[in-house]
Each structure stands twice: as C-alpha cells, then as structure tokens.
Amino acid sequence: MSDAITLLDEPILVEDNLPRVGETLPFFQLVNQQLEDITLESFQGKRKILHFFPGIDTSISANSVRTLDALGTTLNNTVILNISPDLPFTMAKFSTEQNLNRSINLSTLRGRDMYKNYGVLIMSSKLAGLPARALMVADENDQVLHVELVHDLTNEPDYEAAVAALA
C-alpha cells in the first residue's frame, strides 16, 4: 500500500509505513558530517524532531532546515535531525554558510533503508528513491508524538504542530 502526495498537483506514491503516534521509532543508522555512523541510540534520553526532505538544494528544504535550526533555541532536551540523501559535506557547507548550529545533519549515505522503514520513500515520479518531506516528533523514549507527511512537496511542514507535540 502507499500514501499519495503531490508535486504541483501531480500525484506521487509514497511508501505506506509511517510510524503512528504511540509507536516506537524504528532503528536507523545514518552518517554524520564526520562520516561516522550514527544510530537512533545516539540520541537516547533526548526528545527528537526528525526532518526528512529530498535535498538541501531546493529553497523549500533550505528554508525548512533554517527554520528548524532557529526553533532549536527554544526547545529543551531536544535534538533536531535533518535527514536527507545529501552528502555530509554538502550539508556541512550549507550549515556553515548559513551559520546553523542547533540542528544535526544526517545523510542516508549508508542508511537508505530508513526511507522505507519510516514510510517516506517516494515510489513513483522522477523523484523515486528520494524521501518525501516529513516531520516526526518523538519523546525521550523514542515514542512517536507527532507525524506529518507533507502532502505537497512544494510546501513546508507545520512547525507549530511539531513543537506543540513536545509541550
């Protein structure tokens, strides 16, 4: 089964495996800017905002990363994880140029199975294989508090709803 999202009114199928509120986040292993393997356990005891996006080279993705990084100043015991297929070097360069230091950039360089496991894998269109735009919020015990699959790739997620889930 799959969910449908759009890109400028063109339908796109996405893997139908989104974690549900109350479930535990699935395991993941991704790569940080130092090319180190990072797992979900690396953030044990922290609240989490997982931000999936297709790539930093679009204005929508770039703005989402900037917006979430700014929100990081107001969130206690919370990590913001920007997750994309971008190379770690690309994300590091973007963060340096934008003076972003409150969020953590993670690449699926060695963890592309995460897209399928988290239900954000685009399955149709020219973007097949990339992640859809999504926000997921989890507590200190990795219990899902909020999930948003953004229904059109040209839109940003609902940041207020994500932050409210942490209240």
Side-chain angles (χ1 to χ4, degrees):
M1 294 188 64
S2 60
D3 281 329
I5 62 170
T6 59
L7 175 60
L8 300 173
D9 296 325
E10 292 294 320
I12 297 174
L13 295 179
V14 177
E15 181 71 34
D16 183 17
N17 196 26
L18 285 168
R20 291 184 172 85
V21 172
E23 292 182 348
T24 301
L25 288 175
F27 172 84
F28 67 75
Q29 182 172 321
L30 301 173
V31 178
N32 69 9
Q33 293 176 180
Q34 291 76 36
L35 297 176
E36 299 166 328
D37 291 330
I38 301 296
T39 66
L40 179 61
E41 292 174 349
S42 303
F43 307 104
Q44 188 173 23
K46 299 274 187 185
R47 301 183 310 169
K48 299 148 202 75
I49 297 177
L50 286 73
H51 172 222
F52 295 88
F53 57 98
I56 196 62
D57 58 345
T58 67
S59 61
I60 296 154
S61 295
N63 194 57
S64 291
V65 169
R66 285 189 293 265
T67 299
L68 286 165
D69 193 79
L71 283 173
T73 62
T74 65
L75 303 172
N76 294 323
N77 195 38
T78 303
V79 293
I80 299 167
L81 308 176
N82 296 310
I83 302 165
S84 77
D86 292 301
L87 290 173
F89 315 112
T90 303
M91 288 298 294
K93 180 180 177 191
F94 176 81
S95 292
T96 299
E97 289 171 352
Q98 299 292 315
N99 196 30
L100 307 177
N101 55 22
R102 294 175 196 96
S103 54
I104 299 168
N105 301 316
L106 297 172
S107 171
T108 55
L109 178 68
R110 292 190 292 269
R112 288 191 168 271
D113 57 336
M114 183 183 194
Y115 300 151
K116 186 174 178 108
N117 296 341
Y118 277 70
V120 297
L121 177 66
I122 294 175
M123 298 169 41
S124 67
S125 90
K126 293 179 182 179
L127 300 177
L130 293 175
R133 192 174 314 284
L135 278 183
M136 296 177 195
V137 179
D139 68 11
E140 299 87 342
N141 301 309
D142 303 328
Q143 297 299 301
V144 178
L145 304 172
H146 172 79
V147 177
E148 178 191 7
L149 178 63
V150 179
H151 291 287
D152 190 289
L153 283 176
T154 62
N155 294 330
E156 292 183 44
D158 185 347
Y159 308 110
E160 290 179 12
V163 171
L166 292 168

